[in-house]
Every structure is written in C-alpha cells, then in structure tokens.
Amino acid sequence: MHPSSTQRRRGSAGGESTGLAGRDFLLLLAATVGTFSNYAPLLSVAPLWSAQGGSGNAGVGAVTGVTMATTVGVQLCMRWLLRRLSLRQVLMAGALLLGLPTFAYPVSTGLAWALAVSAVRGVGFGMVAVAGSALVAELVPAHARGRAVGWYGVAVGLPQVLCLPLGVWLAEHVGFTPVFLAAGALSVLAAAAVRAMRPGPGESGGEGSTAAASVPLRPLGRPFTVLITSACALGGVTTFLPLALSDSSAAPVALFLLSGAIVVGRWAAGVFSDRRGTGRLLVPSVLACVVGMGGFGLATAGPGDGAVLSAAAASVYGLGFGALQNDTLVIMFRRAGPRGHGAASTAWNMAYDAGTGIGAVAVGLTSHALGVDGSFTAAAVLILLAAPLALRDARTEHRIAQLSPDEIQAEAPTHAPQ
C-alpha cells in the first residue's frame, strides 16, 4: 500500500480514513493501547510470578528472555508472513496470540509453565510490534511521519506509564490472577479494534504486498545497533529493578517515571524531527541513556536512598530512550523507502525486542558475579560504546537534509533503497 494511495482512501461516511486524524490511524492507536496494556505489566509481573515459584535470578530473567526470543523468532519470519497476510490481519492475529495465553499463567508458578506461556505470548507480540509500527508508515504521509511515530509511541508508552507499575502493585497487594485476567482481556479487545479497521489495498497479502518488499539491510545497521544496545538496558531494568531495590515502594515509582519519560521523549522527538530534521537528538539521547543506567547502578549499589536515585535515573534514561526510539524508527523508514516499511519495522522491532530479552538474561547471569548494580553499570558502558555510531548517523541525516529532492533520489541506492 503506497502512502500516496492511502492518503486518498476514504471511509463510507466520506471522511478520511488515513492521516493523523484518520479513522484507521485512531483505531490503530486504540489497538496499540490494548495490546501493550497486556505486554507492559507482564514485563515485571510474569518474572515476579516465576519468582513466587522459587525460580532464581537466572530463571526470572529467562521468563523475559524467552518472550523476547520467540518475539524475535517470529520477526525473522515476517517477510514470509506478510506475503500471505496483510498488516491488519497480522496485527489482529498477534493481538489474540498475545492475549489468550495470558489466561493460562495462573495454572502454575512453575518455571517450565511460565516459560511455555511466555513463549506463545512472544509470538503474538512479535506480530503486533512489527505490524503496528509498519501501519503507522502506511496510514500517514511522510511529511507527518515524525508526529505519527510520536503518537504511536504515546499509545505504546501510556500502558507502560500506568500498567507497568500498577501491575507490580496489584500483583503484590491484590493478587497475580486478577492482573493476568485483565491483561488478557485487554489484548483480546484490541483484536476487535483491528477488526474494525477498513481493509486496504493488498488486504490479502501476496507477492504484491509492499510490506513484504525486500530491502537491503546495511543502511539500517547503525540505527539498529544503537537501539539494540540501549534496549538491553531496558530489559535489565524492567526485570530486575523490583527485586534489586530494598525499598519495596521505590520500584513502582521508578517504573512509573521511566515509562512516563519514554512517552514524553518519543512524542517530543516526533514533533522536533518534523520541524527541525531527524537525527539531531541521536547523540544527546544516547548520552542520556548512559547517565540513566549509571544512576540505576548507584541506586542499587547500597543501602542508601535508592528511591531518589532510581527515580532520577528513570527520568533521565526514559527521556533519552524515548527520543532514541523515535529518531531511529523515522530514520529506518526513510532509508528503507516507500516499499520497505515492513522491512524497516521488522528491523527496528527486532533491535528493540532482542535487546530487551538479551538485557534481561544478561543481567540475570552477570548479577551472580557483578551484582545487579554492577550489571546495570556494565549496561551503561555498553551504550557508551555505541555513541560513535549515533554521531555518524546524526551527521549523515544532517547532510541528507541539506540535499534537494533530486539529489536525495540520486542517493537512493545508498541511503533510501527502494
């Protein structure tokens, strides 16, 4: 579905079905809120459920790790899948695969059961993540893409602002089963919102689907690397911060601030990139992630006031990581070209999800030798090593912004493969 054709698509009532205020885009945002209201709280609640069954740090980290592993696994198959199904169909199926298995968690606290349920949910989340972000580029024209990605980031982030800390609090004070039931229901309801979206051109998928177009991955390599290293830190924090802070009330506050700052960072970066150009926030965002993770390391290092430090670290890291998410996704969409939205979305989501899973497992394994605080500090060093790549990308985007449309087209084989 080429963006120019989607701009002309109208609903039966005569109103625009696409664009920032279009019916389909608004339904996409609603479905995104529903699916991420399942995903976000379970990032911390599912590992805590496993810990209730006696799992050690390695097992707790594996719950998140397995979810992300199957997420990335299905993302590797997205090109094949998108040749047979439309983005809308993939999103609807993913919402159901994410939501329905959630009802099975209360059956057992055993590690094997938690891993099995998490693996199936990971398949659903992988489909949701790729199809949702690709539909942003399909439904909104390029001149508004920064803001569209920003609003999509708000829909992704609001459940993390509210549901991530609320899920931990409810699990500890009300019980795990109500959390699992509510999260499952929200994702199933999201599938209904996707169902209400109007079928577009190429609804049956097939070889003509632009989402399945083959795109060279080399131009996406630097933003991929910068994002995956920063996402490793997120996986470690969301999985282990509730277990590492001595003050039980500190983790929900920090997770709330982290999620809120990510939303603000994504939205603000979207507005900024449409007005001032993409890539200008890459280096400041990476440095903010470094400072934030260093703060988490200090907050969990000793018996001091970890609540204040963790709150400050969450705010700084969240703003940086939110802005980084927005800039890297918009850069990937531009470099992939109009026929490569699915490929760009797949690469971006693989970086985000693989990083989240790797970070959770890595912190679980290295914490035995370094402690959780040492693992968080190591994550900060890892992100700092990616800063030169962010600087190179920022310079590339600045240079491209100075070119005329004809010059940009001439550089398309290198910078925006079609």
Side-chain angles (χ1 to χ4, degrees), residues 221-223 225-226 282 385-394:
R222 286 201 298 266
T225 303
V226 172
L282 282 175
L385 293 176
L389 297 178
L391 179 61
R392 289 182 63 185
D393 259 354

Side-chain angles (χ1 to χ4, degrees), residues 83-107:
R83 285 178 173 173
R84 289 153 179 81
L85 299 171
S86 71
L87 288 169
R88 174 178 167 271
Q89 291 166 336
V90 170
L91 181 57
M92 185 163 53
L96 293 173
L97 285 172
L98 178 65
L100 293 175
T102 305
F103 298 124
Y105 273 118
V107 171

Side-chain angles (χ1 to χ4, degrees), residues 71-402:
T71 292
V72 173
V74 77
Q75 288 168 353
L76 291 172
C77 304
M78 286 303 292
R79 182 181 171 190
W80 174 88
L81 192 60
L82 288 172
R83 285 178 173 173
R84 289 153 179 81
L85 299 171
S86 71
L87 288 169
R88 174 178 167 271
Q89 291 166 336
V90 170
L91 181 57
M92 185 163 53
L96 293 173
L97 285 172
L98 178 65
L100 293 175
T102 305
F103 298 124
Y105 273 118
V107 171
S108 172
T109 58
L111 179 60
W113 182 255
L115 292 177
V117 174
S118 298
V120 179
R121 290 183 61 251
V123 172
F125 181 66
M127 298 167 71
V128 163
V130 171
S133 52
L135 276 168
V136 173
E138 295 284 291
L139 295 173
V140 179
H143 68 82
R145 192 163 293 154
R147 283 168 291 163
V149 171
W151 280 114
Y152 178 77
V154 171
V156 167
L158 277 179
Q160 298 185 63
V161 172
L162 301 175
C163 300
L164 184 55
L166 182 61
V168 173
W169 187 89
L170 287 173
E172 293 177 344
H173 294 84
V174 178
F176 285 87
T177 297
V179 175
F180 291 136
L181 295 179
L186 287 168
S187 192
V188 172
L189 288 173
V194 180
R195 174 72 176 171
M197 294 172 67
R198 296 183 180 93
E203 175 68 8
S204 60
E207 294 294 332
S209 174
T210 59
S214 177
V215 175
L217 297 180
R218 185 175 178 182
L220 311 181
R222 286 201 298 266
F224 179 97
T225 303
V226 172
L227 182 62
I228 195 173
T229 54
S230 301
C232 284
L234 181 69
V237 168
T238 55
T239 301
F240 285 97
L241 192 64
L243 301 174
L245 291 173
S246 56
D247 183 352
S248 61
S249 65
V253 172
L255 291 174
F256 175 83
L257 292 172
L258 171 65
S259 303
I262 288 175
V263 173
V264 173
R266 285 194 72 162
W267 178 82
V271 173
F272 184 89
S273 67
D274 277 350
R275 293 178 178 175
R276 301 291 300 277
T278 307
R280 295 175 182 268
L281 297 176
L282 282 175
V283 175
S285 299
V286 168
L287 295 180
C289 289
V290 172
V291 172
M293 285 309 299
F296 280 126
L298 290 173
T300 55
D305 196 357
V308 174
L309 272 174
S310 63
S315 300
V316 174
Y317 173 82
L319 286 172
F321 189 57
L324 186 66
Q325 289 178 58
N326 191 283
D327 261 20
T328 51
L329 182 55
V330 175
I331 288 171
M332 286 185 173
F333 279 147
R334 185 190 64 73
R335 293 183 182 178
R339 289 186 56 82
H341 296 154
S345 177
T346 299
W348 187 91
N349 279 286
M350 285 180 63
Y352 186 104
D353 298 330
T356 302
I358 291 169
V361 173
V363 170
L365 294 175
T366 60
S367 64
H368 294 289
L370 303 176
V372 174
D373 59 314
S375 297
F376 286 168
T377 303
V381 174
L382 178 66
I383 300 170
L384 184 61
L385 293 176
L389 297 178
L391 179 61
R392 289 182 63 185
D393 259 354
R395 288 173 173 171
T396 297
E397 292 302 310
H398 178 71
R399 181 174 62 81
I400 293 296
Q402 309 307 310

